[in-house]
Amino acid sequence: MSKEQTIKQTFQAATERYAALGVDVNKVLGELKKISLSIHCWQADDVTGYENLGGTLTGGIQVTGNYQGKAGTIDELRRDILKATSCVAGSHRLSLHEIYGDFQGKKVDRDEVEPAHFASWIQWAKENGMKLDFNSTSFSHPKSGDLTLSNPDDDIRNFWIEHTKRCRWISDEMGKAQNDPCMMNLWIHDGSKEVPANRLKYRRILEQSLNEIFSTEYKNMCDCIEAKLFGIGLESYTVGSYDFYLGYGIKKGKIVTLDTGHFHLTESVADKLSSLLLFTPEIMLHVSRPVRWDSDHVVILNDDLSDLAREIIRCEALDKVHIGLDYFDATINRIGAYVIGCRAVQKSLLLAMLEPSSLLQQYEAEGKYFQRLALQEELKSMPWPAVWDMFCLQNDVPIGNDYIEEIEQYEKDVTDKR
Ligand code: RNT
Ligand code: ZN
Protein backbone atom coordinates (compact mmCIF):
# COMPACT_ATOMS: atom_id res chain seq x y z
CA MET A 1 0.00 0.00 0.00
CA SER A 2 1.32 3.47 -0.80
CA LYS A 3 2.01 5.89 2.01
CA GLU A 4 -0.88 8.02 0.84
CA GLN A 5 -3.28 5.09 0.92
CA THR A 6 -2.19 4.10 4.41
CA ILE A 7 -2.74 7.64 5.64
CA LYS A 8 -6.19 7.76 4.09
CA GLN A 9 -7.14 4.45 5.61
CA THR A 10 -5.96 5.21 9.12
CA PHE A 11 -7.57 8.63 8.84
CA GLN A 12 -10.88 7.01 8.03
CA ALA A 13 -10.65 4.81 11.10
CA ALA A 14 -9.68 7.80 13.26
CA THR A 15 -12.58 9.84 11.91
CA GLU A 16 -14.98 7.15 13.08
CA ARG A 17 -13.45 6.97 16.55
CA TYR A 18 -13.77 10.74 16.96
CA ALA A 19 -17.26 10.82 15.48
CA ALA A 20 -18.35 8.40 18.20
CA LEU A 21 -17.42 11.12 20.68
CA GLY A 22 -19.25 13.79 18.70
CA VAL A 23 -16.15 15.33 17.08
CA ASP A 24 -16.24 16.27 13.41
CA VAL A 25 -12.67 15.67 12.28
CA ASN A 26 -13.07 17.21 8.84
CA LYS A 27 -14.39 20.41 10.34
CA VAL A 28 -11.39 20.49 12.66
CA LEU A 29 -9.01 20.12 9.71
CA GLY A 30 -10.60 23.08 7.97
CA GLU A 31 -10.37 25.23 11.09
CA LEU A 32 -6.78 24.30 11.87
CA LYS A 33 -5.69 25.41 8.42
CA LYS A 34 -7.09 28.87 9.05
CA ILE A 35 -4.95 29.53 12.13
CA SER A 36 -2.06 31.83 11.31
CA LEU A 37 1.01 31.74 13.48
CA SER A 38 3.13 34.83 13.87
CA ILE A 39 6.56 33.42 13.10
CA HIS A 40 9.51 35.28 14.63
CA CYS A 41 12.17 36.33 12.13
CA TRP A 42 14.99 36.18 14.68
CA GLN A 43 15.53 32.40 14.86
CA ALA A 44 17.09 32.60 11.40
CA ASP A 45 20.05 34.75 12.45
CA ASP A 46 20.39 34.46 16.25
CA VAL A 47 18.70 37.85 16.91
CA THR A 48 21.45 39.76 15.10
CA GLY A 49 19.50 41.88 12.60
CA TYR A 50 20.88 44.01 9.78
CA GLU A 51 21.38 47.33 11.44
CA ASN A 52 25.01 48.00 10.53
CA LEU A 53 25.77 49.44 13.93
CA GLY A 54 27.95 46.48 14.83
CA GLY A 55 26.33 45.71 18.19
CA THR A 56 26.44 42.39 19.97
CA LEU A 57 23.36 40.83 21.55
CA THR A 58 22.58 42.45 24.91
CA GLY A 59 19.46 43.04 26.97
CA GLY A 60 19.49 39.97 29.18
CA ILE A 61 18.96 37.52 26.34
CA GLN A 62 21.51 35.14 24.93
CA VAL A 63 21.82 32.77 22.00
CA THR A 64 24.09 29.78 22.43
CA GLY A 65 25.61 27.80 19.58
CA ASN A 66 27.43 28.46 16.36
CA TYR A 67 25.74 26.15 13.85
CA GLN A 68 26.82 26.72 10.25
CA GLY A 69 24.60 28.73 7.93
CA LYS A 70 22.97 31.57 9.78
CA ALA A 71 21.18 34.09 7.59
CA GLY A 72 23.70 36.89 7.09
CA THR A 73 21.62 39.12 4.84
CA ILE A 74 17.98 40.04 4.42
CA ASP A 75 17.81 37.98 1.23
CA GLU A 76 19.14 34.92 3.01
CA LEU A 77 16.68 35.43 5.83
CA ARG A 78 13.76 35.72 3.43
CA ARG A 79 14.79 32.57 1.63
CA ASP A 80 15.12 30.67 4.90
CA ILE A 81 11.71 31.79 6.10
CA LEU A 82 10.11 30.63 2.85
CA LYS A 83 11.87 27.28 3.16
CA ALA A 84 10.63 26.88 6.73
CA THR A 85 7.04 27.85 5.90
CA SER A 86 7.02 25.46 2.95
CA CYS A 87 7.12 22.69 5.55
CA VAL A 88 4.23 24.12 7.56
CA ALA A 89 0.60 23.94 6.43
CA GLY A 90 -1.48 27.12 6.24
CA SER A 91 -0.50 30.74 5.71
CA HIS A 92 1.35 32.63 8.39
CA ARG A 93 2.61 35.98 9.56
CA LEU A 94 6.18 37.12 9.99
CA SER A 95 7.15 39.05 13.08
CA LEU A 96 9.98 41.52 12.45
CA HIS A 97 12.15 43.37 14.92
CA GLU A 98 13.18 46.94 14.16
CA ILE A 99 16.81 45.86 13.67
CA TYR A 100 15.73 43.85 10.60
CA GLY A 101 14.97 46.97 8.57
CA ASP A 102 16.25 47.22 5.01
CA PHE A 103 18.83 49.90 5.78
CA GLN A 104 20.80 49.39 2.54
CA GLY A 105 24.14 49.47 4.33
CA LYS A 106 23.45 52.88 5.88
CA LYS A 107 23.70 53.55 9.58
CA VAL A 108 20.19 54.39 10.66
CA ASP A 109 19.96 54.96 14.39
CA ARG A 110 16.97 53.73 16.34
CA ASP A 111 15.54 57.21 16.69
CA GLU A 112 15.73 57.75 12.92
CA VAL A 113 13.96 54.66 11.62
CA GLU A 114 10.99 55.16 9.30
CA PRO A 115 8.40 53.12 7.40
CA ALA A 116 10.55 53.50 4.26
CA HIS A 117 13.08 51.13 5.84
CA PHE A 118 10.42 48.45 5.78
CA ALA A 119 9.02 49.11 2.31
CA SER A 120 10.83 46.13 0.81
CA TRP A 121 9.57 43.89 3.62
CA ILE A 122 6.00 45.02 3.01
CA GLN A 123 6.44 44.30 -0.68
CA TRP A 124 8.02 40.92 -0.07
CA ALA A 125 5.32 39.93 2.41
CA LYS A 126 2.61 40.85 -0.08
CA GLU A 127 4.26 38.84 -2.85
CA ASN A 128 4.47 35.83 -0.58
CA GLY A 129 1.00 36.01 0.92
CA MET A 130 2.29 36.84 4.39
CA LYS A 131 1.27 39.49 6.87
CA LEU A 132 3.69 41.30 9.12
CA ASP A 133 3.90 41.95 12.85
CA PHE A 134 6.47 44.19 14.47
CA ASN A 135 8.66 44.68 17.53
CA SER A 136 10.57 47.69 18.84
CA THR A 137 14.17 46.84 19.76
CA SER A 138 15.65 48.04 23.04
CA PHE A 139 18.65 45.71 23.13
CA SER A 140 22.03 45.47 21.35
CA HIS A 141 22.61 49.23 21.15
CA PRO A 142 25.16 51.54 22.84
CA LYS A 143 22.28 53.23 24.66
CA SER A 144 20.68 49.95 25.81
CA GLY A 145 22.43 49.71 29.19
CA ASP A 146 20.24 48.27 31.92
CA LEU A 147 17.50 50.89 31.58
CA THR A 148 15.80 52.29 28.50
CA LEU A 149 12.21 53.55 28.83
CA SER A 150 12.57 53.54 32.62
CA ASN A 151 15.85 55.44 32.63
CA PRO A 152 15.98 58.50 34.95
CA ASP A 153 18.34 60.13 32.41
CA ASP A 154 16.07 62.17 30.14
CA ASP A 155 18.31 61.97 27.09
CA ILE A 156 18.41 58.20 27.12
CA ARG A 157 14.75 57.83 28.00
CA ASN A 158 13.67 60.24 25.26
CA PHE A 159 15.82 58.42 22.72
CA TRP A 160 13.92 55.20 23.45
CA ILE A 161 10.57 56.96 23.53
CA GLU A 162 11.30 58.34 20.07
CA HIS A 163 12.34 54.88 18.88
CA THR A 164 9.19 53.23 20.19
CA LYS A 165 6.95 55.94 18.77
CA ARG A 166 8.51 55.42 15.37
CA CYS A 167 7.99 51.69 15.65
CA ARG A 168 4.28 52.26 16.23
CA TRP A 169 4.20 54.47 13.13
CA ILE A 170 5.93 51.74 11.11
CA SER A 171 3.50 49.14 12.45
CA ASP A 172 0.56 51.29 11.45
CA GLU A 173 1.93 51.57 7.91
CA MET A 174 2.40 47.81 7.76
CA GLY A 175 -1.15 47.28 8.99
CA LYS A 176 -2.49 49.71 6.41
CA ALA A 177 -0.59 48.07 3.56
CA GLN A 178 -1.78 44.57 4.48
CA ASN A 179 -5.30 45.64 5.36
CA ASP A 180 -5.02 43.83 8.65
CA PRO A 181 -3.77 45.23 11.96
CA CYS A 182 -0.09 44.78 12.62
CA MET A 183 0.53 43.50 16.15
CA MET A 184 3.35 45.52 17.67
CA ASN A 185 5.09 43.98 20.62
CA LEU A 186 6.87 46.17 23.10
CA TRP A 187 9.40 44.35 25.21
CA ILE A 188 12.21 46.13 26.98
CA HIS A 189 14.87 44.46 29.06
CA ASP A 190 14.99 47.11 31.81
CA GLY A 191 16.04 45.70 35.15
CA SER A 192 18.95 45.20 37.47
CA LYS A 193 21.30 42.49 38.60
CA GLU A 194 20.93 43.35 42.27
CA VAL A 195 17.88 44.56 44.17
CA PRO A 196 17.45 48.29 43.56
CA ALA A 197 17.10 50.74 46.42
CA ASN A 198 13.85 51.99 44.93
CA ARG A 199 11.72 49.66 42.85
CA LEU A 200 8.85 52.10 42.47
CA LYS A 201 10.97 54.84 40.90
CA TYR A 202 11.69 52.98 37.65
CA ARG A 203 8.18 51.58 37.31
CA ARG A 204 6.78 55.07 37.68
CA ILE A 205 9.10 56.33 34.93
CA LEU A 206 8.15 53.41 32.68
CA GLU A 207 4.48 54.17 33.18
CA GLN A 208 5.08 57.79 32.15
CA SER A 209 7.09 56.73 29.09
CA LEU A 210 4.35 54.35 28.00
CA ASN A 211 1.70 57.03 28.41
CA GLU A 212 3.72 59.31 26.18
CA ILE A 213 4.37 56.59 23.60
CA PHE A 214 0.71 55.57 23.44
CA SER A 215 -0.60 59.15 23.23
CA THR A 216 -0.87 58.86 19.42
CA GLU A 217 -3.89 56.86 18.26
CA TYR A 218 -3.42 54.48 15.34
CA LYS A 219 -6.04 52.49 13.50
CA ASN A 220 -3.96 49.82 11.81
CA MET A 221 -1.82 48.51 14.62
CA CYS A 222 -2.36 47.01 18.07
CA ASP A 223 -0.09 47.56 21.04
CA CYS A 224 1.09 44.53 22.98
CA ILE A 225 3.20 44.82 26.13
CA GLU A 226 5.41 41.92 27.14
CA ALA A 227 6.33 41.08 30.71
CA LYS A 228 9.30 39.10 31.94
CA LEU A 229 10.47 37.47 35.13
CA PHE A 230 14.19 38.13 34.85
CA GLY A 231 16.96 38.62 32.31
CA ILE A 232 20.45 37.19 32.22
CA GLY A 233 22.58 39.63 34.23
CA LEU A 234 19.37 41.35 35.31
CA GLU A 235 18.20 38.74 37.78
CA SER A 236 16.93 40.65 40.79
CA TYR A 237 14.52 43.16 39.36
CA THR A 238 12.56 43.56 36.14
CA VAL A 239 10.86 46.91 35.71
CA GLY A 240 8.28 45.50 33.28
CA SER A 241 7.18 42.59 35.43
CA TYR A 242 3.94 40.69 34.87
CA ASP A 243 2.15 42.62 37.61
CA PHE A 244 3.28 45.88 36.05
CA TYR A 245 2.04 45.12 32.54
CA LEU A 246 -1.09 43.33 33.66
CA GLY A 247 -2.03 46.41 35.65
CA TYR A 248 -1.11 48.74 32.82
CA GLY A 249 -2.91 46.64 30.23
CA ILE A 250 -6.12 46.47 32.22
CA LYS A 251 -6.06 50.18 33.02
CA LYS A 252 -5.31 51.31 29.48
CA GLY A 253 -6.92 48.59 27.41
CA LYS A 254 -3.64 47.25 26.01
CA ILE A 255 -2.88 43.68 25.01
CA VAL A 256 -0.59 41.79 27.37
CA THR A 257 1.94 39.48 25.76
CA LEU A 258 2.42 36.21 27.59
CA ASP A 259 5.79 34.72 26.74
CA THR A 260 5.61 31.15 27.98
CA GLY A 261 9.28 31.33 28.97
CA HIS A 262 8.80 34.34 31.23
CA PHE A 263 7.28 32.82 34.32
CA HIS A 264 8.33 30.67 37.23
CA LEU A 265 8.77 27.13 35.94
CA THR A 266 5.89 25.77 38.00
CA GLU A 267 3.51 28.58 37.03
CA SER A 268 0.83 27.67 34.48
CA VAL A 269 0.65 30.17 31.63
CA ALA A 270 -2.38 28.31 30.29
CA ASP A 271 -4.29 29.18 33.44
CA LYS A 272 -3.82 32.90 32.77
CA LEU A 273 -5.75 33.03 29.50
CA SER A 274 -9.26 32.85 30.92
CA SER A 275 -8.53 35.71 33.31
CA LEU A 276 -6.88 37.93 30.72
CA LEU A 277 -9.73 37.34 28.32
CA LEU A 278 -12.08 38.90 30.84
CA PHE A 279 -10.06 42.01 31.51
CA THR A 280 -7.81 42.86 28.55
CA PRO A 281 -8.85 43.32 24.91
CA GLU A 282 -7.01 40.37 23.35
CA ILE A 283 -3.95 38.25 24.11
CA MET A 284 -0.59 38.00 22.38
CA LEU A 285 1.41 34.85 22.96
CA HIS A 286 5.12 34.30 22.60
CA VAL A 287 5.26 30.56 22.54
CA SER A 288 8.64 29.50 23.82
CA ARG A 289 10.10 26.81 26.07
CA PRO A 290 11.86 27.53 29.33
CA VAL A 291 14.61 25.19 30.50
CA ARG A 292 16.22 26.16 33.82
CA TRP A 293 17.66 29.66 33.27
CA ASP A 294 16.87 29.86 29.56
CA SER A 295 13.49 31.03 28.34
CA ASP A 296 13.98 30.40 24.63
CA HIS A 297 14.46 26.72 23.75
CA VAL A 298 12.84 25.42 20.56
CA VAL A 299 9.14 24.76 21.10
CA ILE A 300 8.17 21.08 21.24
CA LEU A 301 4.92 19.27 21.89
CA ASN A 302 4.98 18.97 25.67
CA ASP A 303 2.32 19.22 28.38
CA ASP A 304 2.74 22.98 28.79
CA LEU A 305 2.08 23.58 25.12
CA SER A 306 -0.87 21.19 25.05
CA ASP A 307 -2.38 22.90 28.10
CA LEU A 308 -1.99 26.28 26.46
CA ALA A 309 -3.62 25.24 23.19
CA ARG A 310 -6.42 23.49 25.06
CA GLU A 311 -7.18 26.69 26.94
CA ILE A 312 -7.37 28.73 23.72
CA ILE A 313 -9.85 26.26 22.30
CA ARG A 314 -11.86 25.71 25.50
CA CYS A 315 -12.23 29.49 25.84
CA GLU A 316 -13.30 29.66 22.18
CA ALA A 317 -10.74 32.43 21.87
CA LEU A 318 -9.04 31.76 18.55
CA ASP A 319 -10.14 35.19 17.32
CA LYS A 320 -8.73 36.87 20.42
CA VAL A 321 -5.44 35.07 20.94
CA HIS A 322 -2.54 35.86 18.62
CA ILE A 323 -0.10 33.00 18.52
CA GLY A 324 3.43 34.28 18.12
CA LEU A 325 6.59 32.21 18.45
CA ASP A 326 9.71 33.30 20.24
CA TYR A 327 12.79 31.16 20.61
CA PHE A 328 16.32 31.04 19.33
CA ASP A 329 18.67 28.11 19.11
CA ALA A 330 21.97 28.33 17.26
CA THR A 331 23.11 24.80 18.06
CA ILE A 332 20.95 23.09 15.43
CA ASN A 333 19.81 23.78 11.89
CA ARG A 334 17.93 27.04 12.32
CA ILE A 335 15.35 26.38 9.63
CA GLY A 336 14.69 22.96 11.10
CA ALA A 337 14.15 24.71 14.45
CA TYR A 338 11.40 26.81 12.88
CA VAL A 339 9.68 23.78 11.41
CA ILE A 340 9.80 21.82 14.66
CA GLY A 341 8.30 24.71 16.62
CA CYS A 342 5.56 25.63 14.13
CA ARG A 343 4.48 22.04 13.67
CA ALA A 344 4.47 21.46 17.43
CA VAL A 345 2.13 24.42 17.91
CA GLN A 346 -0.15 23.15 15.16
CA LYS A 347 -0.19 19.68 16.68
CA SER A 348 -1.12 21.11 20.07
CA LEU A 349 -3.99 23.03 18.49
CA LEU A 350 -5.13 19.96 16.63
CA LEU A 351 -5.16 17.91 19.83
CA ALA A 352 -7.16 20.64 21.54
CA MET A 353 -9.66 20.89 18.70
CA LEU A 354 -10.21 17.16 18.70
CA GLU A 355 -11.38 17.28 22.27
CA PRO A 356 -15.07 16.39 22.75
CA SER A 357 -15.60 19.54 24.78
CA SER A 358 -19.37 19.40 25.00
CA LEU A 359 -19.27 15.91 26.47
CA LEU A 360 -16.60 16.91 28.98
CA GLN A 361 -18.56 19.98 29.99
CA GLN A 362 -21.71 17.96 30.31
CA TYR A 363 -20.00 15.54 32.71
CA GLU A 364 -18.75 18.49 34.69
CA ALA A 365 -22.16 20.16 34.89
CA GLU A 366 -23.67 16.91 36.13
CA GLY A 367 -20.97 16.43 38.74
CA LYS A 368 -19.73 13.29 36.98
CA TYR A 369 -16.08 13.80 37.86
CA PHE A 370 -14.97 10.20 37.42
CA GLN A 371 -16.35 10.27 33.89
CA ARG A 372 -14.68 13.62 33.17
CA LEU A 373 -11.29 12.38 34.38
CA ALA A 374 -11.63 9.04 32.58
CA LEU A 375 -12.46 10.67 29.26
CA GLN A 376 -9.61 13.15 29.56
CA GLU A 377 -7.28 10.27 30.23
CA GLU A 378 -8.56 8.19 27.30
CA LEU A 379 -8.22 11.15 24.92
CA LYS A 380 -4.47 10.87 25.30
CA SER A 381 -4.49 7.60 23.38
CA MET A 382 -7.01 8.55 20.70
CA PRO A 383 -5.61 8.27 17.14
CA TRP A 384 -4.84 11.95 16.60
CA PRO A 385 -1.58 11.30 14.68
CA ALA A 386 -3.69 9.87 11.84
CA VAL A 387 -5.49 13.20 11.65
CA TRP A 388 -2.19 15.09 11.74
CA ASP A 389 -0.84 13.07 8.81
CA MET A 390 -3.98 13.81 6.84
CA PHE A 391 -3.59 17.51 7.63
CA CYS A 392 -0.09 17.46 6.15
CA LEU A 393 -1.20 15.40 3.14
CA GLN A 394 -4.13 17.70 2.37
CA ASN A 395 -1.95 20.77 2.61
CA ASP A 396 0.89 19.39 0.60
CA VAL A 397 3.59 19.69 3.25
CA PRO A 398 6.01 16.95 4.31
CA ILE A 399 4.43 14.07 6.16
CA GLY A 400 5.86 12.94 9.49
CA ASN A 401 9.62 13.09 9.60
CA ASP A 402 9.92 13.62 5.83
CA TYR A 403 10.86 17.21 6.47
CA ILE A 404 14.17 16.11 7.97
CA GLU A 405 15.35 15.18 4.50
CA GLU A 406 14.04 18.43 3.02
CA ILE A 407 15.97 20.46 5.57
CA GLU A 408 19.09 18.36 5.00
CA GLN A 409 18.86 19.01 1.28
CA TYR A 410 18.46 22.76 1.84
CA GLU A 411 21.42 22.67 4.19
CA LYS A 412 23.52 21.05 1.49
CA ASP A 413 22.32 23.31 -1.32
CA VAL A 414 22.06 26.61 0.51
CA THR A 415 23.09 27.15 4.11
CA ASP A 416 26.33 25.12 4.02
CA LYS A 417 27.57 27.36 1.22
CA ARG A 418 27.29 30.55 3.26
C1 RNT B 1 12.93 38.41 25.59
C2 RNT B 1 11.57 38.52 25.03
C3 RNT B 1 11.47 39.12 23.68
C4 RNT B 1 12.59 38.68 22.76
C5 RNT B 1 12.42 39.09 21.33
C6 RNT B 1 13.69 39.00 20.56
O1 RNT B 1 13.02 37.66 26.71
O2 RNT B 1 10.96 37.27 25.04
O3 RNT B 1 10.22 38.88 23.14
O4 RNT B 1 12.78 37.31 22.79
O5 RNT B 1 11.85 40.33 21.27
ZN1 ZN C 1 9.12 37.04 24.02
Side-chain angles (χ1 to χ4, degrees), residues 226 259 262 286 326:
E226 180 181 4
D259 183 310
H262 288 188
H286 268 189
D326 180 15

Short mmCIF file of all heavy atoms in Angstrom, two decimals, residues 226 259 262 286 326, ligand 2:
data_model
loop_
_atom_site.label_atom_id
_atom_site.label_comp_id
_atom_site.label_asym_id
_atom_site.label_seq_id
_atom_site.Cartn_x
_atom_site.Cartn_y
_atom_site.Cartn_z
N GLU A 226 4.92 43.24 26.72
CA GLU A 226 5.41 41.92 27.14
C GLU A 226 6.17 41.96 28.47
O GLU A 226 7.16 42.67 28.62
CB GLU A 226 6.33 41.33 26.06
CG GLU A 226 6.87 39.95 26.44
CD GLU A 226 7.79 39.36 25.38
OE1 GLU A 226 8.08 40.05 24.38
OE2 GLU A 226 8.22 38.20 25.56
N ASP A 259 4.73 35.57 27.28
CA ASP A 259 5.79 34.72 26.74
C ASP A 259 5.87 33.52 27.68
O ASP A 259 6.08 33.68 28.89
CB ASP A 259 7.11 35.51 26.71
CG ASP A 259 8.25 34.72 26.08
OD1 ASP A 259 8.45 33.56 26.49
OD2 ASP A 259 8.94 35.25 25.20
N HIS A 262 8.57 33.21 30.32
CA HIS A 262 8.80 34.34 31.23
C HIS A 262 8.13 34.22 32.58
O HIS A 262 7.76 35.22 33.20
CB HIS A 262 8.36 35.64 30.56
CG HIS A 262 9.26 36.08 29.46
ND1 HIS A 262 9.14 37.29 28.83
CD2 HIS A 262 10.32 35.46 28.88
CE1 HIS A 262 10.06 37.40 27.89
NE2 HIS A 262 10.79 36.29 27.90
N HIS A 286 3.80 34.65 23.12
CA HIS A 286 5.12 34.30 22.60
C HIS A 286 5.34 32.87 23.05
O HIS A 286 5.65 32.63 24.22
CB HIS A 286 6.21 35.21 23.20
CG HIS A 286 6.49 36.41 22.38
ND1 HIS A 286 7.54 37.25 22.62
CD2 HIS A 286 5.85 36.90 21.27
CE1 HIS A 286 7.54 38.22 21.71
NE2 HIS A 286 6.52 38.03 20.88
N ASP A 326 8.53 32.56 19.82
CA ASP A 326 9.71 33.30 20.24
C ASP A 326 10.73 32.37 20.87
O ASP A 326 10.61 32.00 22.04
CB ASP A 326 9.31 34.41 21.25
CG ASP A 326 10.53 35.20 21.72
OD1 ASP A 326 11.58 35.09 21.09
OD2 ASP A 326 10.41 35.93 22.73
ZN ZN B 2 9.12 37.04 24.02
#
